[in-house]
Amino acid sequence: MEWKLTADKDWLQLEKQFSWIADMRNVPQDPIHHAEGNVAIHTQLVLEHLEQSIKYIGLNSQRQEILWAAALLHDVEKRSTTLIDGQGRVSSPNHARKGAQTAREILFRDVEAPFTLREEIVGLVRFHGLPLWLMDKVNPMRSALEASLRVNMAELKLLAEADAKGRVCQDQSSLLDELELFELYAKEIGCWESPRPFSTPNAQFTYFNSEDGYVDYIPFDNFRSKVIMLSGLPGMGKDHYIANHNRDVPVISLDDIRRQHRIDPTDRKRNGWVVQQAKEQAKMYLRKGQDFIWNATNITALMRKQLIDLFVSYQAYVELVYIEKPHRQWRVQNRDRAYPLPDAVLDKMLHNLEVPQQTEAHRLRYIVE
């Protein structure tokens, strides 16, 4: 059975069904770049142009639904990021990044979508502006290759084209020219039809995690140990994963350190000390070349990067394991835990969740129901 965000796509019904769509009426846009009006008007025009596209019509119904949902959600967080300066100019900095977070939250909690499909929609929302601004990036090749690991580049262009046509502006023809350049460049660097392959997992990791990474560089695999880093919201089943893993591998658990020292998980002042204690344990294993498991939520990319940088500095191979259960099951599992967290804390963590991506570690595994 195919997934659908909603069966009724009438705009007035969408406003009644979803508060985040109703919010779009009250979000202004810059009159120079969006003379058509507010975000609601723009989003409706984007959907109209998308649905009229020959390439969109040629897709199967499930791919159409993915793109339609991404188009509906692409500007969802202009509501929280829009600023008006002293001259009356309107901007919405970081609305794509924040919108991707909101899209994931909606598709996990409110309208449950299959994990892979959900993350495609999230990726499309995150990168919907990339085809127009790729050549303004500090490293266009890296930006394009990273996006291609998460989304279909042809479908990304299709969304960006609908976004460009769904506005009233004087530079629309130049925007459409940029989209053609985007396609040509993606084809040139080998990531248009599928992600560009790397020779080894370490080659891919090194490229995306080095300031001056060379795309064809093949580093020597000289690993001294293997670190399994777990990632997932509290109550998703990380402890269960460990219980079924090789028991000879030691585990560093932030929760165990907190309980040992009677520190509340919400105590920010003392959590820094907990992490430092865990890092000292990790360094001890890393110096010995000992494999271990790092058990913590690790729900943001920055949090994971800080730890992975540490592990890699000791020549460790890092396998990132993300664990997820459906929303309802997750809440039940949390309530059944020996140390459940309040719903308000879980809601905040869900809002901040950044699902790990392939660029972050030598290997990434999703364990998702």
Side-chain angles (χ1 to χ4, degrees):
M1 183 176 178
E2 292 188 347
W3 175 85
K4 285 185 177 294
L5 177 64
T6 179
D8 192 342
K9 291 181 167 58
D10 175 77
W11 186 262
L12 292 179
Q13 291 301 316
L14 290 172
E15 286 187 327
K16 293 178 181 178
Q17 185 174 359
F18 301 113
S19 61
W20 46 272
I21 293 180
D23 290 343
M24 294 179 184
R25 284 189 178 189
N26 303 315
V27 184
Q29 297 187 110
D30 191 89
I32 293 178
H33 300 296
H34 286 279
E36 72 277 4
N38 61 42
V39 172
I41 295 171
H42 168 63
T43 301
Q44 291 174 78
L45 290 173
V46 171
L47 291 169
E48 288 175 13
H49 283 285
L50 180 67
E51 292 169 335
Q52 293 167 6
S53 167
I54 298 299
K55 292 182 179 178
Y56 176 84
I57 294 171
L59 296 172
N60 66 49
S61 57
Q62 187 63 91
R63 300 311 302 174
Q64 287 180 350
E65 186 69 17
I66 290 170
L67 270 170
W68 188 88
L72 184 67
L73 284 156
H74 81 285
D75 281 345
V76 66
E77 280 307 334
K78 278 188 174 179
R79 61 182 178 176
S80 65
T81 60
T82 294
L83 306 170
I84 304 177
D85 66 17
Q87 286 71 48
R89 296 302 303 273
V90 182
S91 62
S92 304
N94 296 316
H95 76 275
R97 182 184 297 277
K98 191 168 182 182
Q101 296 295 105
T102 297
R104 177 179 289 120
E105 194 172 356
I106 290 169
L107 298 177
F108 174 65
R109 183 194 60 205
D110 302 330
V111 185
E112 186 177 342
F115 175 81
T116 301
L117 186 154
R118 181 193 82 203
E119 289 303 310
E120 284 190 78
I121 296 171
V122 169
L124 287 166
V125 173
R126 173 67 184 88
F127 294 113
H128 75 266
L130 182 66
L132 293 175
W133 311 113
L134 178 63
M135 292 308 167
D136 293 333
K137 297 291 184 180
V138 174
N139 191 329
M141 176 180 282
R142 184 179 294 176
S143 296
L145 295 181
E146 178 186 1
S148 73
L149 289 168
R150 297 182 60 179
V151 299
N152 178 295
M153 297 294 263
E155 293 180 0
L156 180 63
K157 182 197 172 189
L158 195 56
L159 174 61
E161 183 177 56
D163 189 17
K165 290 182 177 179
R167 65 180 78 183
V168 177
C169 58
Q170 293 184 355
D171 63 344
Q172 189 178 78
S173 61
S174 64
L175 294 178
L176 297 176
D177 288 342
E178 289 295 330
L179 296 180
E180 296 309 310
L181 290 174
F182 169 79
E183 179 175 342
L184 289 172
Y185 185 70
K187 289 178 176 177
E188 179 184 337
I189 64 176
C191 68
W192 179 250
E193 295 181 349
S194 59
R196 185 188 189 281
F198 285 82
S199 300
T200 67
N202 195 21
Q204 177 173 294
F205 174 81
T206 301
Y207 173 72
F208 284 110
N209 292 277
S210 303
E211 289 187 10
D212 55 350
Y214 173 55
V215 71
D216 290 320
Y217 172 64
I218 305 175
F220 181 64
D221 292 351
N222 185 28
F223 302 112
R224 298 185 64 246
S225 63
K226 177 180 178 179
V227 178
I228 296 177
M229 172 188 278
L230 301 185
S231 173
L233 293 162
M236 282 294 188
K238 295 184 292 296
D239 291 340
H240 179 73
Y241 170 87
I242 292 171
N244 289 278
H245 198 269
N246 186 344
R247 296 189 178 185
D248 293 333
V249 179
V251 177
I252 298 175
S253 170
L254 270 62
D255 280 344
D256 287 348
I257 296 173
R258 292 188 188 99
R259 290 164 193 154
Q260 181 182 353
H261 296 276
R262 297 181 181 179
I263 296 173
D264 191 296
T266 61
D267 187 343
R268 290 187 177 183
K269 292 182 179 179
R270 300 198 66 190
N271 268 329
W273 179 87
V274 171
V275 173
Q276 195 56 43
Q277 294 302 304
K279 284 183 177 179
E280 291 304 318
Q281 290 183 33
K283 289 177 184 177
M284 179 183 69
Y285 292 133
L286 291 164
R287 294 188 192 103
K288 294 178 180 179
Q290 165 73 57
D291 298 349
F292 65 91
I293 297 173
W294 180 279
N295 182 18
T297 55
N298 299 314
I299 60 172
T300 68
L302 178 60
M303 187 185 305
R304 294 189 293 267
K305 178 172 174 51
Q306 291 172 345
L307 291 167
I308 290 172
D309 285 349
L310 170 65
F311 304 154
V312 171
S313 70
Y314 285 86
Q315 296 176 265
Y317 176 96
V318 181
E319 179 178 334
L320 187 49
V321 179
Y322 175 74
I323 300 172
E324 181 180 297
K325 299 288 193 303
H327 182 268
R328 186 176 300 175
Q329 183 179 346
W330 168 50
R331 291 303 176 111
V332 170
Q333 287 186 179
N334 173 67
R335 288 194 290 270
D336 291 343
R337 297 171 76 198
Y339 304 95
L341 290 174
D343 285 346
V345 173
L346 295 183
D347 289 340
K348 184 175 182 180
M349 296 184 77
L350 171 59
H351 182 71
N352 293 328
L353 172 66
E354 295 173 331
V355 170
Q357 303 301 322
Q358 294 182 46
T359 56
E360 295 185 43
H362 297 104
R363 185 187 182 198
L364 171 63
R365 281 203 296 144
Y366 294 131
I367 300 178
V368 178
E369 291 186 12

